[in-house]
Amino acid sequence: MDVLKIVEQQIEEIKKNVNVTSIILVGSMRNLEFDVKLNDIDIFVITEEGSRQIRKILEVSGVEFDMNYFSKKVSEELIKKREQFFIECLKDGKLVYDRDGFGDYIIKESIREYNKGPDKMEDYEINNCIIKIDDYFKKLNKLQNGPKYEYHFLSNLCIKEMIKLYYRLNNIWVPKDKKLLKSLKKLNNDLFSIVVDFYNEYDIEKLKEVFDYIIGENIQKEM
C-alpha cells in the first residue's frame, strides 16, 4: 500500500472521533509529496474539548504519524501567547478536514501573528543572554588546554546561543536548531562566514569575533 493511501485512511480514522473538529497536516510532508525515505507525517488535530496538548505517536505499515491534539481553547491560548512552535507550524499547514471553520480560522490567525515577528527583547532578557554567553567564555578559557570534546561541546552551545541572540535582537523568529546555520547564511553571509571560520579551527578568538559582531551591530542600530 502506498504512503498516500495510508495517510488518507489514517485521516478517516481520526475523523471518526466526534470530538475532532479540524485536521491539519504540518511539517515537511504537509503537501503529501512523498519520498520513500521520509515517511513521517506530522498532524495537528483540533478538538472541541480538552485542557492540554496531547501527543500520540503511531506507526501504520511503516509510516510514522506524529499527532498533536489541541482543543479549541488551548489553540486560542497558544495563539494569544504567540507560541512560536504552534503558529510557525500552522502558518504553512494544509487543512484536510474542517467541520466548523475553526481550522481555517486558526491558520489565518497564525499567519497574522507570525508575520508580526517575535516580541522585541526586553533589556533584562538581553542582559541575561550576555551573562550566559560570558559564562560560556569563562569556562572555555579554562578548557583550552583540557579535553577537546568538552571544549568543542561548550563552544557549540555558546555559538548557538549567540546566533539565537542575533535573531532575537533583529526581531526575527529563531529557526529550529537544524536550520540555524542554513538560515543564517541567507540572512547575513558576513556573520555566517565568521561562524564558519570559527568552526574550521575552534579558535576562541574567532568565537569572540562572532560575539563582537552581533553586539556591535546591535549597538550601531540603537545609536
Side-chain angles (χ1 to χ4, degrees), residues 97-140:
Y97 174 67
D98 199 17
R99 191 174 72 195
D100 57 8
F102 186 81
D104 181 63
Y105 160 74
I106 60 169
I107 287 176
K108 288 178 179 176
E109 284 296 295
S110 295
I111 292 170
R112 186 173 66 85
E113 291 299 329
Y114 187 86
N115 287 341
K116 290 179 182 178
D119 295 330
K120 185 176 180 180
M121 287 188 85
E122 300 287 346
D123 288 342
Y124 79 89
E125 294 180 288
I126 297 173
N127 289 334
N128 286 343
C129 285
I130 291 174
I131 289 170
K132 186 175 182 179
I133 292 167
D134 186 58
D135 187 52
Y136 276 128
F137 275 115
K138 289 176 182 177
K139 292 177 181 177
L140 286 168

Side-chain angles (χ1 to χ4, degrees), residues 129-215:
C129 285
I130 291 174
I131 289 170
K132 186 175 182 179
I133 292 167
D134 186 58
D135 187 52
Y136 276 128
F137 275 115
K138 289 176 182 177
K139 292 177 181 177
L140 286 168
N141 280 321
K142 294 178 180 178
L143 279 172
Q144 284 191 82
N145 297 318
K148 281 189 177 181
Y149 70 89
E150 287 188 29
Y151 180 81
H152 286 184
F153 178 75
L154 274 180
S155 296
N156 289 332
L157 292 178
C158 182
I159 201 162
K160 184 169 71 173
E161 197 71 30
M162 287 193 287
I163 295 172
K164 288 182 176 181
L165 176 60
Y166 178 75
Y167 275 85
R168 292 292 311 279
L169 289 173
N170 286 277
N171 299 320
I172 301 170
W173 294 106
V174 179
K176 294 179 180 178
D177 286 356
K178 62 182 179 181
K179 296 181 179 179
L180 203 57
L181 288 178
K182 185 177 180 180
S183 176
L184 181 64
K185 185 176 182 181
K186 293 179 180 178
L187 179 65
N188 187 327
N189 193 58
D190 290 338
L191 178 56
F192 174 78
S193 297
I194 302 173
V195 171
V196 171
D197 285 343
F198 160 73
Y199 277 123
N200 286 335
E201 302 175 21
Y202 273 90
D203 182 352
I204 195 169
E205 294 304 318
K206 293 291 184 182
L207 198 59
K208 290 176 181 177
E209 282 185 38
V210 175
F211 182 70
D212 289 342
Y213 183 101
I214 291 170
I215 297 301

Side-chain angles (χ1 to χ4, degrees), residues 46 70-79 86 102 106:
I46 309 302
F70 308 88
S71 69
K72 289 181 178 180
K73 180 181 177 181
V74 170
S75 298
E76 290 185 307
E77 288 173 351
L78 290 172
I79 291 175
F86 190 73
F102 186 81
I106 60 169

Side-chain angles (χ1 to χ4, degrees), residues 45-70:
V45 182
I46 309 302
T47 60
E48 194 69 49
E49 303 293 336
S51 58
R52 61 186 177 86
Q53 176 188 355
I54 298 175
R55 186 181 184 189
K56 294 182 180 179
I57 306 295
L58 176 68
E59 185 174 319
V60 180
S61 301
V63 179
E64 184 175 286
F65 292 89
D66 187 343
M67 299 182 291
N68 284 275
Y69 287 74
F70 308 88

Side-chain angles (χ1 to χ4, degrees), residues 86-97:
F86 190 73
I87 63 176
E88 191 168 54
C89 286
L90 281 180
K91 74 179 179 68
D92 296 319
K94 181 174 182 178
L95 189 63
V96 294
Y97 174 67

